[in-house]
Amino acid sequence: MEISDFKETISNVAESVKSKSSEIFESTKIKFALSDAEGEVSKLMREIGRCVYESYKSGEEPDETIHENCEAIDAKYKEIEEMRSKLRGIKNISVCPECGAEISNESAFCNKCGAKLSE
Ligand SMILES: [Zn+2]
């Protein structure tokens, strides 16, 4: 083996190790961001509940913050969906068109509802 080939092999191995660990790093980062976003959503949900209750107590119309918080939740859900699909891309996972369960790209049938997946 030529020295230059040897160097090539080493750098290929290093490259694949690097990309594997950056995959793990990336998916861990996304998981943290996901649980952050989910925490945000439950905070907003509680805030909405509090507003509804306060308006019930005071007999006044619920104020605009409810609407704003609902929009903020929609935006968070969108972020969450984007992060989930990024994660699926990293982990080679797709979603069942029938029931929405997450399944490995290698399986032919959904293991939740049994639907046939793309051939
Ligand atoms: Zn399914």
Side-chain angles (χ1 to χ4, degrees), residues 95-101 103-104 107-119:
V95 170
C96 172
E98 295 298 323
C99 71
I103 9 174
S104 149
S107 30
F109 296 92
C110 172
N111 48 22
K112 196 172 168 206
C113 74
K116 192 174 189 308
L117 306 169
S118 54
E119 49 278 0

PDB file of all heavy atoms in Angstrom, residues 95-101 103-104 107-119:
ATOM      1  N   VAL A  95     -42.676   8.359   8.428  1.00  0.00           N
ATOM      2  CA  VAL A  95     -43.938   8.361   9.142  1.00  0.00           C
ATOM      3  C   VAL A  95     -44.978   7.595   8.337  1.00  0.00           C
ATOM      4  O   VAL A  95     -45.082   7.744   7.126  1.00  0.00           O
ATOM      5  CB  VAL A  95     -44.413   9.818   9.360  1.00  0.00           C
ATOM      6  CG1 VAL A  95     -45.826   9.846   9.888  1.00  0.00           C
ATOM      7  CG2 VAL A  95     -43.483  10.528  10.327  1.00  0.00           C
ATOM      8  N   CYS A  96     -45.742   6.737   9.032  1.00  0.00           N
ATOM      9  CA  CYS A  96     -46.806   5.973   8.374  1.00  0.00           C
ATOM     10  C   CYS A  96     -47.869   6.936   7.833  1.00  0.00           C
ATOM     11  O   CYS A  96     -48.379   7.770   8.566  1.00  0.00           O
ATOM     12  CB  CYS A  96     -47.433   5.010   9.368  1.00  0.00           C
ATOM     13  SG  CYS A  96     -48.903   4.197   8.735  1.00  0.00           S
ATOM     14  N   PRO A  97     -48.206   6.799   6.541  1.00  0.00           N
ATOM     15  CA  PRO A  97     -49.206   7.698   5.968  1.00  0.00           C
ATOM     16  C   PRO A  97     -50.606   7.440   6.532  1.00  0.00           C
ATOM     17  O   PRO A  97     -51.476   8.298   6.466  1.00  0.00           O
ATOM     18  CB  PRO A  97     -49.151   7.391   4.470  1.00  0.00           C
ATOM     19  CG  PRO A  97     -48.544   6.041   4.375  1.00  0.00           C
ATOM     20  CD  PRO A  97     -47.654   5.870   5.568  1.00  0.00           C
ATOM     21  N   GLU A  98     -50.819   6.249   7.102  1.00  0.00           N
ATOM     22  CA  GLU A  98     -52.140   5.894   7.637  1.00  0.00           C
ATOM     23  C   GLU A  98     -52.354   6.401   9.060  1.00  0.00           C
ATOM     24  O   GLU A  98     -53.342   7.041   9.352  1.00  0.00           O
ATOM     25  CB  GLU A  98     -52.327   4.368   7.621  1.00  0.00           C
ATOM     26  CG  GLU A  98     -52.348   3.749   6.234  1.00  0.00           C
ATOM     27  CD  GLU A  98     -53.507   4.259   5.380  1.00  0.00           C
ATOM     28  OE1 GLU A  98     -54.606   4.470   5.942  1.00  0.00           O
ATOM     29  OE2 GLU A  98     -53.301   4.475   4.178  1.00  0.00           O
ATOM     30  N   CYS A  99     -51.402   6.074   9.946  1.00  0.00           N
ATOM     31  CA  CYS A  99     -51.647   6.380  11.360  1.00  0.00           C
ATOM     32  C   CYS A  99     -50.661   7.385  11.939  1.00  0.00           C
ATOM     33  O   CYS A  99     -50.828   7.825  13.068  1.00  0.00           O
ATOM     34  CB  CYS A  99     -51.627   5.085  12.182  1.00  0.00           C
ATOM     35  SG  CYS A  99     -49.979   4.382  12.340  1.00  0.00           S
ATOM     36  N   GLY A 100     -49.633   7.746  11.173  1.00  0.00           N
ATOM     37  CA  GLY A 100     -48.688   8.748  11.664  1.00  0.00           C
ATOM     38  C   GLY A 100     -47.618   8.213  12.600  1.00  0.00           C
ATOM     39  O   GLY A 100     -46.837   8.976  13.148  1.00  0.00           O
ATOM     40  N   ALA A 101     -47.567   6.884  12.786  1.00  0.00           N
ATOM     41  CA  ALA A 101     -46.538   6.305  13.645  1.00  0.00           C
ATOM     42  C   ALA A 101     -45.169   6.442  12.969  1.00  0.00           C
ATOM     43  O   ALA A 101     -45.067   6.458  11.743  1.00  0.00           O
ATOM     44  CB  ALA A 101     -46.844   4.835  13.906  1.00  0.00           C
ATOM     45  N   ILE A 103     -41.711   5.002  11.783  1.00  0.00           N
ATOM     46  CA  ILE A 103     -41.231   3.677  11.428  1.00  0.00           C
ATOM     47  C   ILE A 103     -39.902   3.782  10.703  1.00  0.00           C
ATOM     48  O   ILE A 103     -39.650   4.779  10.033  1.00  0.00           O
ATOM     49  CB  ILE A 103     -42.225   2.963  10.481  1.00  0.00           C
ATOM     50  CG1 ILE A 103     -43.260   3.976  10.059  1.00  0.00           C
ATOM     51  CG2 ILE A 103     -42.809   1.718  11.130  1.00  0.00           C
ATOM     52  CD1 ILE A 103     -44.200   3.571   9.071  1.00  0.00           C
ATOM     53  N   SER A 104     -39.105   2.748  10.869  1.00  0.00           N
ATOM     54  CA  SER A 104     -37.818   2.719  10.196  1.00  0.00           C
ATOM     55  C   SER A 104     -38.028   2.660   8.689  1.00  0.00           C
ATOM     56  O   SER A 104     -38.975   2.055   8.202  1.00  0.00           O
ATOM     57  CB  SER A 104     -37.034   1.497  10.670  1.00  0.00           C
ATOM     58  OG  SER A 104     -36.199   1.041   9.633  1.00  0.00           O
ATOM     59  N   SER A 107     -38.558  -0.883   7.079  1.00  0.00           N
ATOM     60  CA  SER A 107     -39.704  -1.777   7.205  1.00  0.00           C
ATOM     61  C   SER A 107     -40.693  -1.600   6.060  1.00  0.00           C
ATOM     62  O   SER A 107     -40.856  -0.515   5.516  1.00  0.00           O
ATOM     63  CB  SER A 107     -40.410  -1.607   8.546  1.00  0.00           C
ATOM     64  OG  SER A 107     -40.288  -0.312   9.040  1.00  0.00           O
ATOM     65  N   ALA A 108     -41.339  -2.703   5.697  1.00  0.00           N
ATOM     66  CA  ALA A 108     -42.265  -2.701   4.576  1.00  0.00           C
ATOM     67  C   ALA A 108     -43.685  -2.415   5.045  1.00  0.00           C
ATOM     68  O   ALA A 108     -44.523  -1.972   4.260  1.00  0.00           O
ATOM     69  CB  ALA A 108     -42.210  -4.029   3.846  1.00  0.00           C
ATOM     70  N   PHE A 109     -43.954  -2.709   6.325  1.00  0.00           N
ATOM     71  CA  PHE A 109     -45.283  -2.482   6.878  1.00  0.00           C
ATOM     72  C   PHE A 109     -45.178  -1.662   8.152  1.00  0.00           C
ATOM     73  O   PHE A 109     -44.184  -1.754   8.867  1.00  0.00           O
ATOM     74  CB  PHE A 109     -45.982  -3.813   7.192  1.00  0.00           C
ATOM     75  CG  PHE A 109     -46.245  -4.638   5.977  1.00  0.00           C
ATOM     76  CD1 PHE A 109     -45.334  -5.593   5.550  1.00  0.00           C
ATOM     77  CD2 PHE A 109     -47.412  -4.448   5.233  1.00  0.00           C
ATOM     78  CE1 PHE A 109     -45.575  -6.344   4.406  1.00  0.00           C
ATOM     79  CE2 PHE A 109     -47.659  -5.196   4.097  1.00  0.00           C
ATOM     80  CZ  PHE A 109     -46.744  -6.143   3.676  1.00  0.00           C
ATOM     81  N   CYS A 110     -46.198  -0.897   8.449  1.00  0.00           N
ATOM     82  CA  CYS A 110     -46.234  -0.141   9.702  1.00  0.00           C
ATOM     83  C   CYS A 110     -46.393  -1.133  10.846  1.00  0.00           C
ATOM     84  O   CYS A 110     -47.267  -2.003  10.798  1.00  0.00           O
ATOM     85  CB  CYS A 110     -47.405   0.829   9.680  1.00  0.00           C
ATOM     86  SG  CYS A 110     -47.662   1.639  11.264  1.00  0.00           S
ATOM     87  N   ASN A 111     -45.558  -1.008  11.895  1.00  0.00           N
ATOM     88  CA  ASN A 111     -45.699  -1.971  12.988  1.00  0.00           C
ATOM     89  C   ASN A 111     -46.761  -1.558  13.993  1.00  0.00           C
ATOM     90  O   ASN A 111     -46.990  -2.224  14.976  1.00  0.00           O
ATOM     91  CB  ASN A 111     -44.353  -2.270  13.664  1.00  0.00           C
ATOM     92  CG  ASN A 111     -43.587  -1.012  13.995  1.00  0.00           C
ATOM     93  OD1 ASN A 111     -44.171   0.068  14.117  1.00  0.00           O
ATOM     94  ND2 ASN A 111     -42.291  -1.126  14.122  1.00  0.00           N
ATOM     95  N   LYS A 112     -47.447  -0.443  13.701  1.00  0.00           N
ATOM     96  CA  LYS A 112     -48.544  -0.051  14.589  1.00  0.00           C
ATOM     97  C   LYS A 112     -49.885  -0.432  13.976  1.00  0.00           C
ATOM     98  O   LYS A 112     -50.699  -1.090  14.615  1.00  0.00           O
ATOM     99  CB  LYS A 112     -48.480   1.442  14.861  1.00  0.00           C
ATOM    100  CG  LYS A 112     -49.317   1.860  16.048  1.00  0.00           C
ATOM    101  CD  LYS A 112     -49.077   3.310  16.390  1.00  0.00           C
ATOM    102  CE  LYS A 112     -50.098   3.816  17.380  1.00  0.00           C
ATOM    103  NZ  LYS A 112     -50.291   5.271  17.270  1.00  0.00           N
ATOM    104  N   CYS A 113     -50.121  -0.027  12.725  1.00  0.00           N
ATOM    105  CA  CYS A 113     -51.425  -0.290  12.123  1.00  0.00           C
ATOM    106  C   CYS A 113     -51.350  -1.323  11.002  1.00  0.00           C
ATOM    107  O   CYS A 113     -52.389  -1.760  10.497  1.00  0.00           O
ATOM    108  CB  CYS A 113     -52.054   1.000  11.608  1.00  0.00           C
ATOM    109  SG  CYS A 113     -51.289   1.611  10.100  1.00  0.00           S
ATOM    110  N   GLY A 114     -50.152  -1.717  10.601  1.00  0.00           N
ATOM    111  CA  GLY A 114     -50.017  -2.753   9.591  1.00  0.00           C
ATOM    112  C   GLY A 114     -50.145  -2.276   8.159  1.00  0.00           C
ATOM    113  O   GLY A 114     -50.118  -3.078   7.235  1.00  0.00           O
ATOM    114  N   ALA A 115     -50.282  -0.973   7.975  1.00  0.00           N
ATOM    115  CA  ALA A 115     -50.409  -0.451   6.606  1.00  0.00           C
ATOM    116  C   ALA A 115     -49.148  -0.765   5.804  1.00  0.00           C
ATOM    117  O   ALA A 115     -48.040  -0.758   6.342  1.00  0.00           O
ATOM    118  CB  ALA A 115     -50.650   1.049   6.652  1.00  0.00           C
ATOM    119  N   LYS A 116     -49.341  -1.020   4.520  1.00  0.00           N
ATOM    120  CA  LYS A 116     -48.200  -1.278   3.656  1.00  0.00           C
ATOM    121  C   LYS A 116     -47.545   0.051   3.358  1.00  0.00           C
ATOM    122  O   LYS A 116     -48.199   1.054   3.060  1.00  0.00           O
ATOM    123  CB  LYS A 116     -48.673  -1.933   2.352  1.00  0.00           C
ATOM    124  CG  LYS A 116     -47.528  -2.496   1.539  1.00  0.00           C
ATOM    125  CD  LYS A 116     -48.069  -3.271   0.335  1.00  0.00           C
ATOM    126  CE  LYS A 116     -46.961  -4.020  -0.381  1.00  0.00           C
ATOM    127  NZ  LYS A 116     -45.810  -3.189  -0.743  1.00  0.00           N
ATOM    128  N   LEU A 117     -46.197   0.060   3.475  1.00  0.00           N
ATOM    129  CA  LEU A 117     -45.477   1.304   3.233  1.00  0.00           C
ATOM    130  C   LEU A 117     -44.913   1.301   1.824  1.00  0.00           C
ATOM    131  O   LEU A 117     -44.963   0.298   1.144  1.00  0.00           O
ATOM    132  CB  LEU A 117     -44.372   1.448   4.279  1.00  0.00           C
ATOM    133  CG  LEU A 117     -44.903   1.327   5.714  1.00  0.00           C
ATOM    134  CD1 LEU A 117     -43.771   1.217   6.688  1.00  0.00           C
ATOM    135  CD2 LEU A 117     -45.799   2.518   6.043  1.00  0.00           C
ATOM    136  N   SER A 118     -44.390   2.436   1.442  1.00  0.00           N
ATOM    137  CA  SER A 118     -43.891   2.573   0.064  1.00  0.00           C
ATOM    138  C   SER A 118     -43.009   1.395  -0.320  1.00  0.00           C
ATOM    139  O   SER A 118     -42.115   1.008   0.433  1.00  0.00           O
ATOM    140  CB  SER A 118     -43.114   3.868  -0.068  1.00  0.00           C
ATOM    141  OG  SER A 118     -42.110   3.905   0.926  1.00  0.00           O
ATOM    142  N   GLU A 119     -43.267   0.831  -1.468  1.00  0.00           N
ATOM    143  CA  GLU A 119     -42.559  -0.379  -1.891  1.00  0.00           C
ATOM    144  C   GLU A 119     -41.127  -0.104  -2.322  1.00  0.00           C
ATOM    145  O   GLU A 119     -40.787   0.987  -2.660  1.00  0.00           O
ATOM    146  CB  GLU A 119     -43.323  -1.109  -3.001  1.00  0.00           C
ATOM    147  CG  GLU A 119     -43.785  -0.285  -4.172  1.00  0.00           C
ATOM    148  CD  GLU A 119     -45.090   0.478  -3.919  1.00  0.00           C
ATOM    149  OE1 GLU A 119     -45.680   0.386  -2.825  1.00  0.00           O
ATOM    150  OE2 GLU A 119     -45.501   1.208  -4.814  1.00  0.00           O
TER     151      GLU A 119
END
